DNA sequence: TTTTTCTCCGCAAACGTTTGCGGTAACATT
DNA sequence: AATGTTACCGCAAACGTTTGCGGAGAAAAA
């Protein structure tokens, strides 16, 4: 059970004081080149690294970010995290990943832990049931910037980075119009979610305004299984017509695809299919599914920039929307 | 920028010493019930929580585990992590998740960071290029137990928890025999990976020994795209015969499914399909794909148990294999 | 020579805990 | 009345850093 080397050890071996070693290691001007060299050599040899606990206790800063997500099995979050990690590494920060399991209680615990650890900042996608802003405001009081991403609260004055729900919905709708599809079945998520409302509204509006009397039917499903079930029961009415299904999210898409396969139908011959997705699931099928991409890595870059501004002192809140792009497969 | 409450603040408000507060908070017998109550009340009121940095500096123990994985977009790891987190919460540990991006250099950095943070233990799935055991042995010298899972090193004397490659391969083979399939196309991963060798060997052996002259052809693919390409070029030779495709992993399965769809074939009528998988992808198709499950959560439970034993002082190394089970879909 | 200015370095306090040790009452034992 | 117990509590050191301040010696200015 060996100990890590400390400033003290180095100081003793070199017959200098601890402060000298500390300063030498960070190129303080008070230190002569000679001493500086010797200290750094020995530190290198001993593989010295400052004890982060001691440093933090002294300086109250941790040089690490926390990312909190409801779930990890999610391609979108994965690319978001990758993106943040990449940037953070450049700036000498490390990042810790927390999983709230979509449970507000666990979310609270994580938040508290972050506060005590005095993380430099938090990126968080809140749970669907988070309604109390108070703990987040408390972080601010403690000087810890919070950047919300993807799942963000209603609350106005905070930093939010979101995918462009409207824009993605518009891209999908425009593609449908372009293909001159007369009938559209739109399958959306939970009616109460703001993301559902935003996507639905924009999608319907664009179709109405630009499409010459397209027949649009919309339904809602709260889970993958429900989406499958609904699609399964609705398909008989549509088959034969020229129509396209629009899936609001990956979860919906997964269910819809199962129903389609189960009916023995295939895209784009029997029906068209278009979705809003992060790109993972669309690539599992042949032909690949055309989708409006919600890019986690884009969002990551934007969020990180915002974070660095906050740390630099910018205090005003801002909402940033990332526009998406259409990835053309062969499903429509 | 408010400060967190400290022992000192509580002590001052109550006119007692810091040590008394500290002891009262942990029900030390030296403290009178009266004082204990008062301290705890105020601590509650002030939302006191010990500063983890100070505690660690003093005690050299952190009560937190690290999990290191090559990638997060992986259902298997996700269920492993969930499982560990669940157990850890019970024992009052928290867990941090690190992602090595399958890069040995980053893996090193993470390991170093864990050492300095004096984490209580590490669960790690190593990168495919990790060959140097020395950093891991060094953890041991520092008294930090390391449990390898899933991707484990060759090195003998360390703690390893793995999925039962042989057992899973056997389950798949037996299912094929049971269905009396005369022709089998086995698609495997990179020939150099130990996991490939283990699965291939067992699969072939079981088929040979128990199946009455089953015709088995095996091919290798190093990526999803390659698997698709190979399957696509091979399918014409097989279609018409009664045959089944076996996919060694999810990655392979994804590619194979695309080729199958592209040919317009469907399971189980045109061909049978069976895989070794964590269960995510098989559920995306209809009919769902039959697979031998490699369970991340099982592995998590086993790994956590082993970890707790290590912390309790058990020093001898052990390799544990988790047997898998067959999940029947309708693809064969 | 005396004074000023640098250059380089050490002292010591502080961050918030934990914990061995010792001390002071009050009470029980001779 | 003297001694031995017991129940509570505080002192102070230590964990490994960082940093303001001051000090010694040498070089430059007077």
């Amino acid at each position: 059970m060996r100990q890590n080397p400390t400033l003290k050890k180095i100081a003793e071996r070199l017959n200098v004081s601890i402060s000298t070693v500390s300063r030498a290691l960070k190129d303080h001007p008070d230190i002569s080149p000679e001493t500086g060299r010797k200290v750094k050599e020995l530190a290198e040899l001993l593989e010295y690294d400052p004890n982060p606990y001691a440093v933090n206790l002294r300086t109250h800063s941790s040089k690490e970010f926390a990312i909190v997500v409801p779930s990890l099995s999610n391609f979108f979050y994965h690319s978001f995290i990758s993106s943040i990690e990449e940037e953070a590494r450049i700036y000498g920060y490390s990042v810790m990943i927390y999983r709230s399991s979509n449970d507000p209680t666990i979310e609270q615990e994580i938040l508290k832990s972050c506060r005590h650890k005095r993380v430099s900042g938090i990126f968080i996608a809140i749970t669907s049931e988070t309604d109390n802003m108070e703990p987040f405001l408390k972080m601010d009081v403690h000087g810890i910037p919070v950047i919300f991403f993807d799942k963000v609260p209603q609350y106005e004055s905070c930093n939010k980075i979101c995918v462009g729900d409207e824009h993605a919905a518009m891209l999908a709708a425009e593609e449908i119009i372009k293909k001159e599809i007369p009938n559209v079945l739109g399958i959306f998520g939970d009616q109460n979610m703001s993301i559902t409302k935003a996507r639905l509204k924009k999608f319907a509006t664009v179709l109405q305004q630009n499409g010459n009397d397209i027949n649009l039917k919309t339904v809602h499903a709260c889970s993958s299984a429900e989406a499958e079930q609904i699609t399964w029961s609705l398909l008989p009415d549509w088959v034969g017509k020229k129509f396209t299904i629009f899936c609001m999210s990956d979860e919906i898409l997964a269910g819809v695809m199962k129903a389609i396969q189960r009916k023995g139908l295939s895209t784009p011959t029997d029906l068209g299919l278009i979705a809003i997705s992060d790109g993972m699931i669309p690539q599992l099928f042949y032909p690949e599914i055309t989708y409006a991409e919600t890019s986690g890595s884009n969002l990551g870059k934007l969020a990180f920039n915002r974070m660095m501004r906050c740390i630099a002192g910018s205090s005003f809140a801002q909402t940033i929307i990332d526009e998406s792009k259409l990835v053309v497969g062969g499903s429509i």
Side-chain angles (χ1 to χ4, degrees), chain A:
Chain A
M1 186 91 103
R2 216 180 56 204
Q3 291 297 334
N4 279 323
T6 66
L7 289 184
K8 194 158 146 193
K9 292 230 190 84
I10 300 182
E12 279 166 2
R13 297 256 297 244
L14 255 37
N15 268 326
V16 294
S17 77
I18 295 180
S19 13
T20 301
V21 178
S22 174
R23 290 193 174 101
L25 255 17
K26 36 175 66 78
D27 292 317
H28 192 284
D30 266 8
I31 303 297
S32 72
E34 165 76 2
T35 322
R37 192 185 47 73
K38 281 201 291 190
V39 168
K40 281 194 261 191
E41 267 177 13
L42 186 57
E44 186 75 23
L45 182 70
L46 263 40
E47 296 184 26
Y48 170 80
D49 260 285
N51 178 322
Y53 295 96
V55 173
N56 184 287
L57 189 57
R58 187 54 232 259
T59 65
H60 294 217
S61 92
S62 68
K63 282 286 221 176
E64 65 184 3
F65 293 127
I67 305 180
V68 190
V69 291
S71 159
L72 289 172
S73 68
N74 181 309
F75 191 66
F76 177 77
Y77 290 146
H78 179 248
S79 51
F80 179 89
I81 293 171
S82 305
S83 169
I84 296 284
E85 277 182 334
E86 209 170 291
E87 300 279 323
R89 197 174 303 278
I90 299 173
Y91 287 83
Y93 284 80
S94 63
V95 347
M96 329 203 316
I97 304 155
Y98 289 99
R99 191 176 131 271
S100 66
S101 302
N102 206 40
D103 178 338
T105 315
I106 297 183
E107 191 178 54
Q108 291 304 316
E109 280 179 31
I110 294 173
L111 235 48
K112 204 205 279 181
S113 160
C114 287
R115 220 175 54 225
H116 294 132
K117 284 190 176 153
R118 292 190 257 239
V119 298
S120 306
I122 300 180
F123 301 92
I124 183 169
I126 60 177
T127 77
S128 45
E129 285 141 40
T130 306
D131 54 356
N132 183 9
M133 278 301 286
E134 195 260 330
F136 298 103
L137 300 178
K138 192 188 271 183
M139 302 306 285
D140 243 18
V141 176
H142 285 258
I144 301 175
V146 178
I147 310 282
F148 297 93
F149 70 96
D150 191 41
K151 313 275 185 202
V152 305
Q154 298 284 347
Y155 186 77
E156 288 288 331
S157 90
C158 54
N159 282 292
K160 310 187 231 184
I161 320 280
C162 324
V163 299
D165 290 316
E166 278 87 2
H167 189 252
M170 186 186 73
L171 287 182
E174 285 177 351
E175 182 72 6
I176 289 174
I177 293 167
K178 192 175 125 198
K179 298 279 184 177
E180 298 182 348
I181 312 280
N183 301 296
V184 176
L185 173 56
I187 309 190
F188 293 83
D190 189 329
Q191 302 208 41
N192 299 318
M193 296 197 310
S194 62
I195 180 178
T196 302
K197 292 176 193 159
R199 294 184 181 188
L200 172 54
K201 186 173 169 196
K202 186 69 176 189
F203 185 73
T205 310
V206 174
L207 278 194
Q208 273 177 1
Q209 291 178 345
N210 302 17
N212 356 352
D213 51 40
I214 286 178
N215 167 32
L216 168 66
K217 177 178 172 67
T218 64
V219 292
H220 292 270
C222 294
S223 69
S224 197
E226 195 181 343
E228 178 185 354
Q229 202 277 322
I230 291 180
T231 311
W232 173 255
S233 66
L234 250 39
L235 273 178
D237 305 340
W238 295 68
V239 71
K241 298 184 198 171
K242 191 177 180 199
F243 78 110
T244 279
I245 296 184
F246 165 75
C247 302
M248 180 196 100
S249 68
D250 279 304
E251 197 182 7
I252 304 288
L253 175 60
V256 168
M257 273 310 295
K258 278 181 81 172
I260 292 176
Q261 296 174 87
R262 195 165 156 200
K263 276 285 180 213
L265 303 176
S266 54
T267 63
T269 47
D270 299 319
L271 78 165
L273 184 60
I274 189 166
I276 297 179
S277 163
D278 59 36
M280 165 79 195
I281 292 184
Q283 290 180 15
L284 287 175
F285 296 96
Y286 188 92
E288 292 188 357
I289 297 161
T290 297
Y291 64 98
E293 182 180 55
T294 55
S295 159
S297 62
N298 271 359
L299 224 59
K301 300 254 181 303
L302 291 170
F304 191 84
N305 276 339
R306 192 76 203 97
M307 177 64 85
M308 290 320 264
R309 285 184 193 284
C310 284
I311 288 178
S314 158
S315 64
F316 84 110
Q318 191 181 6
T319 296
I320 300 176
I321 308 285
D322 177 48
E323 304 211 329
S324 63
K325 67 166 197 270
L326 193 75
V327 177
V328 177
S331 66
I332 181 172

